[in-house]
C-alpha cells in the first residue's frame, strides 16, 4: 500500500497553486479561485504564490458565516 503524502502547513508562509490545492484537498483551479477571493495572490516575476495566513482567515470567515446562517453559534 502506498504511503499518503502529507504537507506540513504550519511553517509555510506562501505556496503555489498546486500545493494550495493539496492543502485544501481540491483541484488546482478551485484553489486558485479561493486564493483570488481571499486576496492572497501575489506574483514575483512569473511565479504566482498565495499567502497562507490570508487563506486561513478567509476560510475561517466563510465557516463563521455559514455557522451563523445555520444558527450553530
Amino acid at each position: 500500500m502506498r504511503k499518503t503524502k502529507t504537507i506540513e502547513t504550519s511553517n509555510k508562509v506562501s505556496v503555489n497553486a498546486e500545493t494550495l490545492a493539496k492543502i485544501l484537498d481540491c483541484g488546482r483551479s478551485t484553489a486558485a479561485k479561493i486564493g483570488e477571493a481571499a486576496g492572497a495572490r501575489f506574483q514575483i516575476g512569473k511565479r504566482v504564490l498565495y499567502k497562507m495566513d490570508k487563506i486561513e482567515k478567509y476560510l475561517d470567515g466563510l465557516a463563521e458565516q455559514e455557522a451563523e446562517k445555520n444558527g450553530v453559534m
Side-chain angles (χ1 to χ4, degrees):
M1 184 179 249
R2 292 185 181 173
K3 184 177 179 181
T4 303
K5 294 181 182 177
T6 59
I7 298 172
E8 182 63 40
T9 62
S10 62
N11 61 354
K12 300 277 187 185
V13 174
S14 62
V15 295
N16 62 17
E18 287 182 27
T19 304
L20 182 60
K22 289 176 186 176
I23 292 168
L24 298 176
D25 195 25
C26 64
R28 187 180 183 282
S29 176
T30 301
K33 288 178 185 177
I34 291 170
E36 287 280 338
R41 183 185 187 275
F42 67 99
Q43 191 167 345
I44 299 174
K46 292 183 178 182
R47 187 167 182 165
V48 176
L49 299 169
Y50 299 91
K51 291 191 52 85
M52 286 305 299
D53 61 338
K54 288 189 176 186
I55 299 286
E56 290 172 7
K57 287 177 187 175
Y58 176 74
L59 293 176
D60 287 343
L62 285 179
E64 287 176 12
Q65 287 177 358
E66 193 66 25
E68 288 174 1
K69 186 173 115 178
N70 293 328
V72 174
M73 292 187 107

